[in-house]
Amino acid sequence: EPEVTQTPSHQVTQMGQEVILRCVPISNHLYFYWYRQILGQKVEFLVSFYNNEISEKSEIFDDQFSVERPDGSNFTLKIRSTKLEDSAMYFCASSGYEAFFGQGTRLTVV
Amino acid sequence: KNEVEQSPQNLTAQEGEFITINCSYSVGISALHWLQQHPGGGIVSLFMLSSGKKKHGRLIATINIQEKHSSLHITASHPRDSAVYICAPEGYGGATNKLIFGTGTLLAVQP
């Protein structure tokens, strides 16, 4: 069974620090996504990535956020100058015919 | 108004009961996903549908594209089915392949 792998599973960071969330998508997939879920709320779309560039981003995905695929296998989400309200579960997903989700990274900003 | 409406929001069932969760959406889509989320957060894809009906074990998903409605059924429910079930249309409005998530249905199956 193919799987999407996310690291770390938990991250605690101080407000104002930069964090990088990592994902290894399924190797033959072409579309990659980041979603987030604030505690008690529904999952929200952040950004989609195709052909080594952003194909779509939400209003949430402002200049504080960036994504890249540095080495052809990893897919990263960088959050600069973290804020308390960035605390959430962040999910990576990749899709070919079906969508597969990682187990998520729980980010806590203190 | 939410783009994706699920009902019920909470559901408690006795083991063995037949369960139905409904999802409606307001614009055209290319496909619809049913997802399962357990406490602790991981999301598992159950089905992707673009028409008709799919069955996997005790789970059945149906979609009516014209009526913009989908249902997830669980036959012979079991306590291990307890989770949040999420409807997530794809290709919302025709311009994108991201998923738009519903608020989820929290299912508790009691022994």
Side-chain angles (χ1 to χ4, degrees):
Chain A
E1 174 86 0
E3 64 176 11
V4 175
T5 305
Q6 286 187 245
T7 55
S9 55
H10 294 88
Q11 173 100 41
V12 180
T13 190
Q14 290 204 327
M15 193 168 53
Q17 295 297 303
E18 175 181 287
V19 295
I20 298 176
L21 310 183
R22 291 183 166 81
C23 170
V24 180
I26 293 167
S27 59
N28 61 349
H29 283 179
L30 299 178
Y31 288 91
F32 312 115
Y33 310 85
W34 284 101
Y35 295 88
R36 81 170 184 191
Q37 185 177 34
I38 294 170
L39 187 63
Q41 298 185 20
K42 66 180 181 180
V43 178
E44 304 171 288
F45 168 76
L46 290 178
V47 65
S48 59
F49 194 83
Y50 172 75
N51 201 25
N52 288 322
E53 60 183 26
I54 291 174
S55 55
E56 185 175 359
K57 58 184 181 179
S58 71
E59 293 176 352
I60 303 166
F61 195 89
D62 59 21
D63 292 343
Q64 184 193 7
F65 295 89
S66 62
V67 291
E68 64 176 7
R69 199 154 185 242
D71 57 12
S73 60
N74 291 286
F75 178 50
T76 62
L77 175 69
K78 183 188 290 185
I79 309 175
R80 286 179 281 276
S81 189
T82 49
K83 299 176 280 196
L84 295 177
E85 54 265 37
D86 295 327
S87 296
M89 182 78 97
Y90 289 80
F91 292 102
C92 173
S94 71
S95 67
Y97 177 68
E98 289 186 61
F100 289 81
F101 287 81
Q103 287 299 300
T105 294
R106 185 170 299 282
L107 176 66
T108 302
V109 182
V110 297
Chain B
K1 186 182 186 305
N2 288 326
E3 296 167 297
V4 182
E5 299 275 358
Q6 278 186 242
S7 62
Q9 291 188 334
N10 293 280
L11 179 58
T12 300
Q14 294 297 312
E15 183 173 357
E17 285 186 9
F18 181 85
I19 287 162
T20 296
I21 299 170
N22 294 299
C23 173
S24 60
Y25 50 91
S26 53
V27 299
I29 62 173
S30 59
L32 184 140
H33 298 248
W34 280 101
L35 308 164
Q36 181 191 57
Q37 187 174 32
H38 278 281
I43 294 174
V44 175
S45 178
L46 299 175
F47 294 103
M48 186 185 77
L49 293 162
S50 53
S51 65
K53 176 179 173 178
K54 284 190 176 180
K55 185 176 189 292
H56 186 252
R58 295 180 294 105
L59 301 179
I60 303 166
T62 63
I63 189 167
N64 185 319
I65 293 289
Q66 287 73 32
E67 294 188 4
K68 298 184 175 59
H69 181 269
S70 177
S71 294
L72 176 69
H73 307 284
I74 304 175
T75 61
S77 59
H78 191 276
R80 65 174 175 267
D81 297 326
S82 299
V84 176
Y85 291 85
I86 304 170
C87 161
E90 176 184 344
Y92 206 86
T96 176
N97 58 2
K98 69 187 181 201
L99 302 189
I100 302 293
F101 284 72
T103 52
T105 295
L106 176 59
L107 171 65
V109 181
Q110 296 178 341

